[in-house]
Amino acid sequence: MEPELRIVPANEASWDDVQTVFGQRGDAARCQCQRYKWTDGWLWHAPREVLTAELFEQANCGVPGAETTGLVAYLGDEPVGWCAVEPRTAYARLARMPVPWTGRPDEDKTDASVWAVTCFTVRAGYRKHGISRALAVAAVDYARERGASALEGYPIITTPGKTITWGEVHVGSRSIFAAAGFEQVSHPTLRRVVMRVDF
């Protein structure tokens, strides 16, 4: 029998489980989900310990009821995936990007009721099993239940037969968001689109 996939807010998961998902090497381990939190190139020069400390403070692991910054997926008891989701205003880098990167042209970028999904991480060995898709669906429910007026994602366009690195697809693919009920609202670059659900 296949183990059950369940998804919980990071504040209901343990810090060890979050770090198990991020691993010890690769893009996720290095970034610690800080790419959209920082506004400039300092991120790439910051020691990993600094970025890890930032995520530790943001996630509030083991503190049910506290604010948190993402969702953790488990396959049975095994932590296998992560999705960053919270108010769009929590992501300083998004605020500096021009519309149409961040919502509708007439929308106030400081509106904290608009939430964003900025990152997916799935452990090696568990990829291509629908975990990112399940996390996207869970992010919709999570944002809606917390009073969000809308939820956005900024996926990369994947082309059948064309190889992309796992690091490139940390933002998710268009198909993942479409399957979760998001609709494309803009196409700011050749390879990026903005997907959105309005509640």
Side-chain angles (χ1 to χ4, degrees):
M1 178 185 290
E2 282 286 317
E4 178 188 0
L5 180 66
R6 62 188 174 89
I7 296 171
V8 302
N11 62 344
E12 296 177 16
S14 75
W15 176 244
D16 285 347
D17 286 353
V18 169
Q19 286 302 294
T20 296
V21 172
F22 278 69
Q24 294 300 312
R25 53 196 173 107
D27 293 334
R30 170 74 185 97
C31 177
Q32 293 289 307
C33 215
Q34 300 305 301
R35 182 179 187 128
Y36 296 97
K37 297 280 192 174
W38 294 44
T39 58
D40 50 39
W42 290 353
L43 171 69
W44 307 116
H45 302 290
R48 178 176 165 183
E49 295 75 22
V50 170
L51 302 179
T52 302
E54 292 280 327
L55 180 60
F56 179 81
E57 186 175 317
Q58 294 156 7
N60 281 311
C61 291
V63 189
E67 288 187 11
T68 193
T69 190
L71 304 173
V72 180
Y74 289 86
L75 203 53
D77 293 327
E78 194 68 27
V80 295
W82 162 271
C83 169
V85 55
E86 60 185 320
R88 192 174 63 191
T89 51
Y91 301 107
R93 190 170 177 195
L94 287 182
R96 292 185 59 173
M97 290 179 177
V99 175
W101 270 102
T102 53
R104 307 196 184 282
D106 59 345
E107 187 169 74
D108 179 2
K109 287 204 272 188
T110 65
D111 181 356
S113 76
V114 178
W115 283 43
V117 175
T118 58
C119 178
F120 295 90
T121 298
V122 177
R123 285 174 62 192
Y126 297 97
R127 296 171 188 162
K128 301 193 178 193
H129 292 285
I131 293 167
S132 291
R133 189 169 295 210
L135 282 162
V137 170
V140 171
D141 294 338
Y142 181 76
R144 183 192 290 116
E145 288 164 5
R146 281 151 186 79
S149 64
L151 178 62
E152 291 182 347
Y154 314 97
I156 193 168
I157 296 171
T158 56
T159 305
K162 185 171 182 180
T163 301
I164 61 170
T165 68
W166 182 253
E168 283 184 297
V169 81
H170 75 276
V171 292
S173 67
R174 182 165 50 183
S175 63
I176 286 170
F177 285 97
F182 289 70
E183 294 183 358
Q184 183 175 317
V185 295
S186 69
H187 199 317
T189 73
L190 285 175
R191 299 186 68 208
R192 286 289 193 98
V193 293
V194 178
M195 305 284 284
R196 181 171 167 126
V197 176
D198 286 287
F199 300 127

